[in-house]
């Protein structure tokens, strides 16, 4: 496996920005993905945005001293998501059940995506994409959950489009300030 | 202690001996649990005065779960946790023993440890004035040795307040702020018989997967604790969607429910189980884990006997009073830390057998993430129930209405040769009634003799079964 596909290795040395046209296309892809998630169209998300070999990882963020060699997160330890496609499908299968009470009545979702940077990698079929997000969920009358974080995505070229091959989600919260995580980030 | 009034004579030197609070008695609060009518008054979930009494009567006295031995394997390894709302550091000493220390500098009170965990620490230094403490909590020095230059300064008697007692049971480290509390094994009583289903089903014991998932739920801490102590009933309705997603069908309690399923309670600790062997494990969604648990169950028969061997992966849940819970077979292990009457911090881990193959350990980690984490298909639907069960009691009239805990009245099983107070069937409010009875005992009694000999103690006839 090339380094870029190793989920445990955060992006470091990508310094060749993609051309403007690629960057526009990636931005369109990420915005369309965000809108798809806002609509809770999870099956569509799996079908049109996610690649077969997806690895979708969101580690727990620990508060550690700077000198601690372990760092704030580590692959193989506790995580919110560490999913392949088959595991994402199970989560989606729950969302679409009529008895998914935490989603009925519907949650109002907003995925704000910004700070998009697109880099070429050693593999012409793969792009390294950084972005930041604000995720807002509002339910019932006044229940509101906000999560901020960064994503490190590996996008695979797919004809004129892209598919998500890797997503590393690093949130800024240590204690998740929410009762659940009924969304994808 | 009085402060000097301008003509210091040096007579009032500070006495820095640790202060351990004494308990009181709150009979009015104890009566909020009505055993005769199987009702609980909602003020136990909403009243600030009741909550403050809980911090004094329960969290400052009961043995509370602190850490798993595997989280702090070597000298200087530490984690930070809570006992009630008190912040504490759990740290391995150079001689291999474990100390628990209040995370508050005796000088101005600031925290001396700001991180979740760490390894090979030499001690803890307060960021405010640089007071530094050894692994044992003793004061080693102050910045610039300014205090040390003062003749009246008695460094030797100053330190981080130690948790009064610390003890382990099969890998789990507990502590209590009460120097008078009975031993951990007496506090757990015959419930250790049931803890061993998870902690001692094979040679080598257990360990925690690294890290932890922390989240906040705006609910009273007792709702999740009572849910795990004996509410399998909710699984059918609350978790219909999760069961459908993973199993393609509903929650299944196994074929011989009437004969096998039971609830058992000792001192308010409780387990409900169906003895169906792998029902909980199956919900993790990995057939490989189901095979593993079938094999484990066969091997564990000699060690644990037929009943407990069948419980290793069965549809089951458990709480150790007051706020530590786990699911056998699903291997989620968690603590519900109170943060006021209407908020908790949930910390959860994955527990695995130390000698399990690495592949199995990782499947448990992934399976717990898929089911019992904030994004998990089961835990997803619990939080909102507990939040609104709590929040509606803001209504003045609403909170005058009692709650119904009367499923399974008269279902006590006096025949079955199992430790504790045993009830027939897992679909039963019996353990929850006993959880609240225990809660009322803590509110009522200011001494351990009464606490350990009340209605929640295991009947003598069942104690032999635990031997």
């Amino acid at each position: 496996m090339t380094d870029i596909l190793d989920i445990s290795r955060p992006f470091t040395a990508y310094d060749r920005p993609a051309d403007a046209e690629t960057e526009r296309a990636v931005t369109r892809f990420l915005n369309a993905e965000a809108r798809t998630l806002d609509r809770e169209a999870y099956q569509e998300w799996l079908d049109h945005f996610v690649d077969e070999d997806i690895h979708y990882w969101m580690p727990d963020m620990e508060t550690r001293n700077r000198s601690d060699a372990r760092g704030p997160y580590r692959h193989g330890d506790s995580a919110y998501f560490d999913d392949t496609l088959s595991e994402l499908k199970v989560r989606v299968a729950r969302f679409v059940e009529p008895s998914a009470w935490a989603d009925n009545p519907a949650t109002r979702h907003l995925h704000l995506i910004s700070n998009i940077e697109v880099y070429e990698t050693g593999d012409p079929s793969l792009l390294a994409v950084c972005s930041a997000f604000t995720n807002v969920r509002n339910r019932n009358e006044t229940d509101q959950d906000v999560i901020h974080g960064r994503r490190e995505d590996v996008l695979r070229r797919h004809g004129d489009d892209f598919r998500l091959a890797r997503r590393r989600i690093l949130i800024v919260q240590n204690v998740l300030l929410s009762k659940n995580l009924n969304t994808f980030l | 202690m009085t402060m000097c009034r301008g003509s210091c004579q040096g007579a009032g030197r500070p006495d820095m001996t640790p202060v351990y609070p004494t308990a009181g008695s709150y009979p009015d609060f104890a009566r909020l649990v009505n055993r005769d009518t199987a009702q609980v008054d909602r003020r136990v979930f909403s009243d600030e005065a009741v909550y403050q009494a809980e911090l004094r009567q329960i969290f400052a006295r009961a043995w509370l779960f602190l850490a798993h031995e595997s989280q702090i394997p070597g000298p200087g390894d530490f984690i930070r946790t809570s006992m009630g709302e008190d912040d504490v550091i759990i740290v391995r000493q150079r001689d291999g023993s474990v100390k628990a220390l209040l995370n508050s500098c005796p000088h101005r009170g600031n925290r001396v440890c700001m991180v979740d965990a760490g390894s090979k620490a030499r001690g803890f230094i307060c960021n405010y004035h640089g007071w530094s403490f050894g692994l044992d909590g003793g004061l080693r020095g102050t910045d610039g040795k300014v205090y040390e230059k003062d003749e009246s300064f008695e460094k030797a008697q100053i330190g981080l307040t130690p948790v009064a007692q610390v003890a382990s049971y099969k890998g789990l480290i507990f502590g209590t702020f009460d120097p008078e509390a009975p031993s951990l094994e007496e506090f757990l009583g015959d419930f250790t018989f049931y803890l061993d289903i998870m902690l001692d089903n094979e040679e080598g014991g257990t360990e925690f997967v690294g890290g932890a998932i922390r989240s906040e739920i705006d609910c009273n801490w007792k709702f999740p604790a009572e849910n795990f102590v004996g509410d399998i009933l909710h699984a059918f309705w609350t978790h219909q969607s999760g069961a459908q997603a993973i199993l393609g069908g509903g929650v299944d309690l196994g074929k011989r429910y009437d004969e096998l399923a039971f609830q058992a309670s000792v001192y308010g600790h409780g387990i409900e189980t169906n003895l169906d062997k792998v029902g909980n494990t199956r919900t993790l969604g990995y057939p490989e884990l189901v095979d593993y648990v079938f094999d484990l169950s066969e091997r564990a028969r000699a060690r644990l006997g037929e009943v407990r061997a069948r419980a290793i992966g069965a549809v089951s849940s458990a709480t150790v009073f007051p706020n530590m819970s786990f699911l056998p077979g699903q291997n989620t292990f968690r603590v519900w830390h109170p943060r006021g009457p209407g908020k908790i911090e949930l910390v959860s881990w994955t527990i695995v057998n130390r000698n399990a193959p690495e592949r199995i350990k990782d499947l448990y980690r992934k399976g717990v993430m898929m089911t019992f984490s904030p994004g998990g298909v089961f835990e997803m639907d619990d939080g909102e129930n507990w939040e609104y069960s709590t929040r509606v009691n803001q209504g003045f009239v609403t909170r005058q209405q009692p709650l119904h805990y009367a499923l399974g009245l008269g279902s006590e099983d006096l025949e079955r040769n199992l430790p504790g107070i045993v009830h027939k069937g897992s679909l039963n409010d019996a353990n929850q009634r006993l959880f609240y009875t225990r809660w009322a005992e803590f509110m009522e009694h200011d001494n351990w003799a009464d606490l350990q000999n009340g209605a929640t103690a295991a009947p003598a006839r069942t104690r032999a079964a635990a031997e």
Side-chain angles (χ1 to χ4, degrees), chain A:
Chain A
M1 192 191 294
T2 56
D3 276 359
I4 190 172
L5 291 175
D6 181 349
I7 199 78
S8 69
R9 297 171 73 106
F11 289 169
T12 46
Y14 297 105
D15 54 7
R16 280 193 299 134
D19 58 55
E21 192 182 339
T22 305
E23 189 175 307
R24 271 201 302 276
V26 167
T27 302
R28 275 198 297 273
F29 174 85
L30 293 180
N31 286 341
E33 184 204 13
R35 186 159 43 82
T36 304
L37 292 172
D38 285 352
R39 292 191 288 120
E40 301 178 303
Y42 300 120
Q43 191 56 51
E44 211 176 304
W45 178 63
L46 290 180
D47 292 343
H48 300 303
F49 294 91
V50 171
D51 215 342
E52 296 284 315
D53 70 337
I54 180 76
H55 195 154
Y56 183 91
W57 179 45
M58 175 170 155
D60 82 283
M61 303 298 281
E62 295 227 335
T63 303
R64 294 271 182 155
N65 281 321
R66 288 182 186 276
S67 58
D68 193 322
R70 179 204 183 262
Y73 58 91
R74 186 167 65 182
H75 190 253
D77 279 2
S78 303
Y80 297 92
F81 302 103
D82 193 2
D83 288 9
T84 61
L85 183 60
S86 63
E87 286 141 354
L88 289 174
K89 282 178 177 170
V90 172
R91 297 183 196 274
V92 169
R94 177 201 155 275
F95 278 126
V96 300
E97 282 295 316
S99 63
W101 307 123
D103 294 280
N104 190 8
T107 301
R108 291 168 287 270
H109 297 267
L110 182 63
H111 292 74
L112 282 168
I113 310 299
S114 69
N115 303 37
I116 297 168
E117 300 168 76
V118 185
Y119 295 99
E120 300 288 351
T121 69
D123 182 334
S125 69
L126 300 176
L127 295 166
V129 179
C130 301
S131 60
F133 66 86
T134 299
N135 178 263
V136 183
R137 291 173 294 155
N138 188 294
R139 278 185 65 66
N140 302 331
E141 300 87 43
T142 57
D143 297 358
Q144 181 145 308
D145 296 294
V146 178
I147 304 174
H148 295 92
R150 281 203 155 269
R151 304 187 303 193
E152 296 184 345
D153 295 341
V154 179
L155 296 191
R156 183 175 286 117
R157 292 182 189 277
H158 185 86
D160 293 339
D161 200 5
F162 305 98
R163 288 288 184 273
L164 188 62
R166 296 288 180 275
R167 174 161 286 170
R168 195 158 36 239
I169 303 161
L170 306 173
I171 61 170
V172 301
Q173 295 177 6
N174 167 261
V175 178
L176 185 76
L177 302 174
S178 308
K179 62 180 165 293
N180 69 15
L181 206 47
N182 63 336
T183 189
F184 295 105
L185 298 170

Side-chain angles (χ1 to χ4, degrees), chain B residues 194-248:
Chain B
Y194 300 105
L195 287 179
D196 289 352
I197 293 167
M198 190 185 67
L199 299 177
D200 198 13
N201 60 46
E202 109 180 318
E203 197 59 40
T206 60
E207 64 186 20
F208 276 5
V209 170
I213 296 291
R214 301 170 175 83
S215 57
E216 278 191 354
I217 307 178
D218 292 332
C219 71
N220 185 272
W221 65 272
K222 294 187 290 301
F223 280 121
E226 67 153 62
N227 178 280
F228 277 63
V229 87
D231 185 348
I232 190 57
L233 177 63
H234 85 292
F236 294 89
W237 190 257
T238 295
H239 299 308
Q240 199 176 62
S241 58
Q244 191 68 36
I246 290 204
L247 304 170

